[in-house]
Amino acid sequence: MLLYFIKRVLMLIPVLFFVSVLVFLIMRVFSPDPATIVLGQHTTLEKANAWREQMGLNEPIIQQYLDYMYNVLHGDFGVSYFTNTPVTTELLSRLPATIELSVIAIIIASIVGVFFGIISAVKKNSLIDNFTMTTALIGVSMPVFWLGMLLIILFSGYLHLVPSGGRIDALMRPLGGTGFYFYDTLVIGDYEAFFNALQHAILPAITLAGYSMAIITRMTRSSMLDVLHQDYIRTAKAKGLSSYRVIFKHAFRNALLPIITVIGLQFGSLLSGAVLTETVFAWPGIGAYSVQCILRSDFPVIQGVVLIVAFIFVMMNLLVDLLYAALDPRVKYAQESA
Amino acid sequence: MLLDVQHLTTEFRTRRGTVKAVRDVSFSLEKGEILALVGESGSGKSVTSLSIMGLLSSNGRVSSGKVMFNGEDLLTKSEHVLRKIRGNHISMIFQEPMTSLNPIFTVGDQILESIRLHTKLTKKEAQEKMLHLLDLVGIPNPVKRVKDYPHQLSGGMRQRVMIAIAMACEPQLLIADEPTTALDVTIQAQILDLIYRMREQFNISVLLITHDLGVVAEAADRVAVMYCGRIVEEGKTSDILTRPCHPYTLGLLRSIPRLDDHTDRLYMIPGMVPPPEEVPEYCAFADRCEHATDKCREGLPPFITLKDRSVRCINIIAEDA
């Protein structure tokens, strides 16, 4: 197990290397010249050249890459062309918002998705199955910004139950701390601020969860249906077990592998920033921010974001694979003999 | 009498309408007796056993008949009561030991689950019982094996584990649905032998479902031959296998390859088994039968009781197989 883990972590290196080369090249080949964006289109050629020289953009591209990687390996992701703040600071101020939102969204999506997926499978072709599957189909097809706006209009506009955007009311914003508002407010015991943050998060989280929820529901249903037809389920019933035990102990644990996989992948993509949701709800996460940076060719920031997202994705996959081994003895066996 | 199945009819809702898989099947089983239900695939053997257990899939239902077990009709019992009978008084083992055990639990856990579900033994007593059971079904080194997962065992060993699970609560009836079909010939004999020994030791009754007449000859006291959801001939194994009276039974026996027979081609019953929705209301075998007359297609032949058997045929043949 430990050996496997080490092997997998070592495999991270080539993946991240490849990603870094790719994003570096793409930025430099396809992006508009950052100098004219930073200095404005009426700048002189000399000024632009001087700025490029200062930023090291006149070096050969290989030299630029090596310099960049040298700095990255020393924990320095560079400085944003526009704000002159270190990329690390920029990202650290926004990542907590994205992580917080993603965690809430994936929790909602997993609980609701797995629950309805199981019911759907057990009551196949019933009214509730058809209803759930139709809803899931709508969930997969509905554009996120549209769902977000509908929710804002209903719950914020008409019912005034929750605010329409932002992470927390400005006056309640916890100072300092980790940037994770739920954590920060609980640590200092400011429950009012905690609930305020929760109110802000609920609509974007539901919006964000919608798609994942639909995917998870469908995967749970099909995986459960597959397992429920297995011979060992018949054995479990023939033992005299209650249907509850048959479904949850014998069927669900076997159906879990594909479900964990989609949850992991969905969580990975939620964490990499939900551009539309963050834009609709003015949520200060990395999704909306990175799009902004792409539009203005802010190379260091984009490179940083892509590297971190790739890292998150690979780690999610690793986590899923480790869970496999924990859940299914056959997987562990295959690894040991491999 | 332990089990008395009377006029059991089971049907399934399918896209092509309601289909009867078991038609008016009656048989009984004494204490300590082994009865074999024989027939081709699709003849309704497995559905009969699942009807007895109350484990039909959701589109199936018993439309008429009685399943008397110890004098009580199982078909009128609630699911709650049936759960107390399943695995406790009536156990079942299946064709595929490869897939009949849950892959993510150790074999020990799967045996313990049955013991603890139906008995009030403490954890420690249950564990002792589990080891005893594994020993009983001939699994070497039980203490080590209980921690194994099913994929670590061979097919024969898995079937032994299935039998250990089935025997966990010393049932009165064991339903063995093609227990040897998926196994090697040498292992088949061992498993049959084990079932036989369980019968001797615990005086259980066994409903043995198989398509293999060799298995029947080796293990069963009595045999009921099924065709298209109906029992066509029933009697003592030795009588039926040596002197079949129903043309279908004779056909089955003649299809078995024999060592002393040097013909190039095996005998084949002409024609095909009709699909369940096309089974006629007259003798279902008439359209494939060499002896059939017009009278065979006029209505369902009654059960004719001879001195050693009952046969559902109006042109009873008398031939030594």
Side-chain angles (χ1 to χ4, degrees):
Chain A
M1 193 69 160
L2 186 69
L3 197 72
Y4 176 75
F5 181 75
I6 293 171
K7 251 199 294 193
R8 285 296 305 262
V9 171
L10 287 179
M11 273 162 63
L12 273 176
I13 296 170
V15 171
L16 291 178
F17 167 74
F18 188 72
V19 168
S20 68
V21 171
L22 204 67
V23 64
F24 204 84
L25 285 179
I26 288 176
M27 292 313 301
R28 271 152 191 76
V29 175
F30 295 111
S31 281
D33 180 7
T36 53
I37 302 175
V38 172
L39 302 173
Q41 51 182 319
H42 301 298
T43 184
T44 58
L45 205 60
E46 289 76 37
K47 276 189 188 164
N49 228 332
W51 185 83
R52 276 193 224 108
E53 188 65 42
Q54 186 198 342
M55 291 298 160
L57 292 172
N58 283 341
E59 306 279 327
I61 198 159
I62 295 188
Q63 187 60 48
Q64 286 183 42
Y65 177 76
L66 291 177
D67 287 347
Y68 176 69
M69 283 316 283
Y70 177 84
N71 289 332
V72 165
L73 291 175
H74 288 79
D76 176 10
F77 284 80
V79 172
S80 163
Y81 292 161
F82 283 83
T83 57
N84 278 326
T85 12
V87 171
T88 333
T89 317
E90 292 278 6
L91 293 187
L92 280 182
S93 74
R94 289 177 173 84
L95 259 179
T98 293
I99 293 176
E100 229 167 47
L101 188 60
S102 310
V103 169
I104 302 174
I106 202 69
I107 290 175
I108 296 176
S110 307
I111 294 177
V112 177
V114 167
F115 180 74
F116 281 101
I118 291 178
I119 291 187
S120 245
V122 173
K123 305 260 175 224
K124 191 188 161 200
N125 292 337
S126 67
L127 199 66
I128 185 157
D129 177 29
N130 289 329
F131 176 76
T132 307
M133 282 303 104
T134 313
T135 314
L137 189 66
I138 295 171
V140 174
S141 338
M142 173 119 62
V144 169
F145 63 89
W146 175 243
L147 174 65
M149 287 192 288
L150 286 183
L151 290 176
I152 291 178
I153 292 170
L154 179 63
F155 290 101
S156 185
Y158 287 120
L159 300 175
H160 301 290
L161 288 175
V162 286
S164 63
R167 277 184 81 190
I168 195 163
D169 285 350
L171 290 175
M172 297 195 182
R173 187 189 306 271
L175 300 169
T178 57
F180 292 95
Y181 289 175
F182 289 123
Y183 177 78
D184 291 343
T185 50
L186 278 186
V187 163
I188 56 171
D190 188 350
Y191 298 112
E192 202 190 337
F194 177 82
F195 284 113
N196 189 275
L198 195 63
Q199 276 185 334
H200 278 83
I202 200 84
L203 284 192
I206 290 176
T207 308
L208 195 56
Y211 179 79
S212 306
M213 198 189 299
I215 298 273
I216 293 169
T217 309
R218 287 158 62 122
M219 181 52 87
T220 306
R221 178 178 185 269
S222 71
S223 179
M224 278 297 281
L225 277 180
D226 181 47
V227 170
L228 285 172
H229 284 107
Q230 297 292 323
D231 290 342
Y232 53 79
I233 295 305
R234 192 180 48 184
T235 308
K237 287 180 187 163
K239 276 180 175 177
L241 293 171
S242 62
S243 20
Y244 179 84
R245 291 266 290 271
V246 172
I247 290 165
F248 287 96
K249 187 175 168 195
H250 286 266
F252 183 59
R253 279 203 51 188
N254 274 289
L256 212 49
L257 293 192
I259 301 174
I260 296 265
T261 312
V262 285
I263 292 180
L265 290 177
Q266 289 298 317
F267 192 41
S269 58
L270 293 186
L271 280 173
S272 51
V275 178
L276 292 174
T277 310
E278 289 182 2
T279 309
V280 171
F281 288 95
W283 191 266
I286 58 166
Y289 175 65
S290 51
V291 170
Q292 221 174 48
C293 293
I294 290 172
L295 292 179
R296 55 191 193 197
S297 297
D298 202 340
F299 292 171
V301 180
I302 300 163
Q303 283 155 196
V305 168
V306 171
L307 273 183
I308 284 181
V309 166
F311 179 76
I312 290 175
F313 242 101
V314 182
M315 288 311 281
M316 278 317 296
N317 274 318
L318 175 60
L319 187 71
V320 166
D321 283 356
L322 290 177
L323 276 175
Y324 267 31
L327 287 170
D328 191 332
R330 286 167 298 181
V331 177
K332 206 180 289 172
Y333 190 65
Q335 283 163 12
E336 276 162 10
S337 56
Chain B
M1 199 177 297
L2 181 71
L3 178 72
D4 188 16
V5 176
Q6 300 167 6
H7 308 290
L8 181 74
T9 299
T10 303
E11 53 190 30
F12 289 89
R13 273 178 291 112
T14 68
R15 280 197 205 121
R16 287 165 296 177
T18 306
V19 164
K20 282 185 185 163
V22 174
R23 297 156 181 266
D24 190 20
V25 160
S26 301
F27 61 86
S28 62
L29 196 53
E30 298 291 340
K31 240 182 158 36
E33 188 181 34
I34 300 185
L35 170 70
L37 272 186
V38 192
E40 292 168 81
S41 20
S43 60
K45 311 167 298 222
S46 291
V47 175
T48 304
S49 68
L50 292 174
S51 304
I52 295 170
M53 290 291 275
L55 288 179
L56 291 168
S57 56
S58 57
N59 61 335
R61 68 181 193 100
V62 174
S63 56
S64 64
K66 283 182 179 171
V67 175
M68 306 301 288
F69 180 71
N70 278 332
E72 290 184 68
D73 188 0
L74 293 185
L75 298 178
T76 62
K77 301 283 182 218
S78 68
E79 176 64 21
H80 183 72
V81 176
L82 284 178
R83 282 210 307 268
K84 296 208 156 121
I85 295 173
R86 282 182 211 137
N88 191 12
H89 302 301
I90 306 181
S91 294
M92 212 168 165
I93 57 176
F94 302 98
Q95 175 171 350
E96 288 286 345
M98 300 292 174
T99 52
S100 293
L101 290 165
N102 195 324
I104 58 170
F105 297 113
T106 62
V107 297
D109 283 342
Q110 300 190 51
I111 301 173
L112 272 181
E113 187 180 36
S114 248
I115 301 175
R116 302 214 61 188
L117 183 67
H118 295 294
T119 64
K120 290 203 166 64
L121 298 182
T122 63
K123 207 171 171 182
K124 197 152 178 275
E125 288 167 336
Q127 268 165 351
E128 273 164 26
K129 172 144 194 176
M130 167 182 73
L131 292 175
H132 173 70
L133 279 166
L134 283 172
D135 192 45
L136 195 74
V137 297
I139 289 188
N141 202 352
V143 182
K144 196 159 168 283
R145 286 283 91 88
V146 290
K147 296 192 195 82
D148 279 352
Y149 288 93
H151 67 263
Q152 291 164 292
L153 301 178
S154 68
M157 282 298 153
R158 286 182 221 187
Q159 196 61 294
R160 285 173 196 271
V161 171
M162 281 299 290
I163 294 176
I165 292 174
M167 297 305 298
C169 303
E170 282 150 36
Q172 295 167 281
L173 173 62
L174 173 68
I175 300 178
D177 189 352
E178 304 265 12
T180 58
T181 308
L183 302 173
D184 292 342
V185 183
T186 46
I187 310 293
Q188 282 189 11
Q190 291 175 13
I191 295 295
L192 277 184
D193 189 54
L194 177 61
I195 293 175
Y196 214 80
R197 241 182 46 223
M198 292 298 118
R199 189 269 292 263
E200 300 292 298
Q201 203 161 340
F202 299 99
N203 196 31
I204 54 172
S205 310
V206 181
L207 182 61
L208 180 66
I209 291 164
T210 181
H211 67 273
D212 186 341
L213 288 168
V215 169
V216 176
E218 202 169 325
D221 304 316
R222 273 191 311 128
V223 55
V225 181
M226 284 188 80
Y227 184 73
C228 290
R230 299 191 181 104
I231 291 182
V232 293
E233 183 165 10
E234 197 234 302
K236 271 174 75 177
T237 306
S238 49
D239 295 331
I240 304 280
L241 294 191
T242 50
R243 282 174 284 107
C245 284
H246 195 284
Y248 177 65
T249 317
L250 176 69
L252 276 185
L253 285 166
R254 279 172 62 189
S255 318
I256 302 174
R258 292 165 68 140
L259 280 179
D260 55 354
D261 192 355
H262 297 293
T263 47
D264 291 342
R265 276 171 176 276
L266 277 175
Y267 174 78
M268 254 174 61
I269 302 176
M272 301 262 287
V273 182
E277 66 270 20
E278 285 168 28
V279 173
E281 278 311 310
Y282 50 85
C283 173
F285 192 61
D287 296 332
R288 304 175 69 186
C289 180
E290 309 170 2
H291 308 269
T293 59
D294 287 345
K295 229 180 146 205
C296 295
R297 295 190 179 82
E298 276 168 16
L300 199 61
F303 251 118
I304 297 171
T305 313
L306 306 179
K307 68 173 188 298
D308 61 346
R309 72 187 74 193
S310 8
V311 192
R312 208 187 254 281
C313 181
I314 51 172
N315 297 323
I316 291 174
I317 46 170
E319 207 173 323
D320 283 335

